[in-house]
Amino acid sequence: MKHYVMSGMEAAFVSIEALGVIVIVIGVLWGVVGWLRDRLREGVTADDLFQQFRLRMGRALLLGLEMLVAADVIRTVAIEPTLANAALLGVVVLIRTFISWTLVLELESRWPWQAKREG
């Protein structure tokens, strides 16, 4: 029975990790297609093109990173619960948190704990 549970956890880890990568890849493609579509529209400035592209890319990266961290948590807690893996997970989460904060700051001009600006 334990073997089936471990196999299920490993399948969950691999699936969520793959999904995180897929989200990032699709996000890049979505950003490029959106940029091309917006470029064909009249009245769109280069700055608007750039800002929309950054926004699409940033959102895809944030979502993909969240999924990759979830996969790492499953691996560390359920599959290989060693002290070394827990420490590595802590480092990964710190790095991911820093990246997320800087992405939010870059995309929205605010820290994640600040209220969203109106307008």
Side-chain angles (χ1 to χ4, degrees):
M1 182 68 168
K2 183 178 179 182
H3 174 71
Y4 294 115
V5 171
M6 291 304 291
S7 294
M9 292 295 170
E10 288 173 9
F13 161 71
V14 170
S15 299
I16 294 171
E17 189 171 56
L19 186 59
V21 172
I22 289 168
V23 164
I24 292 171
V25 170
I26 289 173
V28 169
L29 295 174
W30 177 53
V32 170
V33 168
W35 181 84
L36 290 170
R37 185 192 66 231
D38 291 347
R39 183 137 165 79
L40 296 174
R41 291 184 11 223
E42 289 186 30
V44 180
T45 66
D47 188 52
D48 289 341
L49 284 170
F50 178 70
Q51 293 300 327
Q52 284 301 312
F53 180 72
R54 281 182 51 220
L55 188 61
R56 289 181 186 113
M57 294 291 290
R59 287 177 177 166
L61 283 172
L62 283 170
L63 184 57
L65 285 171
E66 295 291 337
M67 291 178 170
L68 292 172
V69 168
D72 286 337
V73 168
I74 290 171
R75 185 189 67 207
T76 300
V77 172
I79 299 173
E80 300 173 31
T82 65
L83 190 56
N85 283 343
L88 182 60
L89 176 64
V91 171
V92 167
V93 168
L94 283 174
I95 292 168
R96 198 255 347 135
T97 300
F98 176 77
I99 292 170
S100 293
W101 285 2
T102 56
L103 281 170
V104 169
L105 182 60
E106 183 72 20
L107 295 172
E108 300 180 10
S109 300
R110 68 174 182 87
W111 289 105
W113 53 84
Q114 290 176 322
K116 287 188 178 185
R117 296 180 181 157
E118 294 297 322

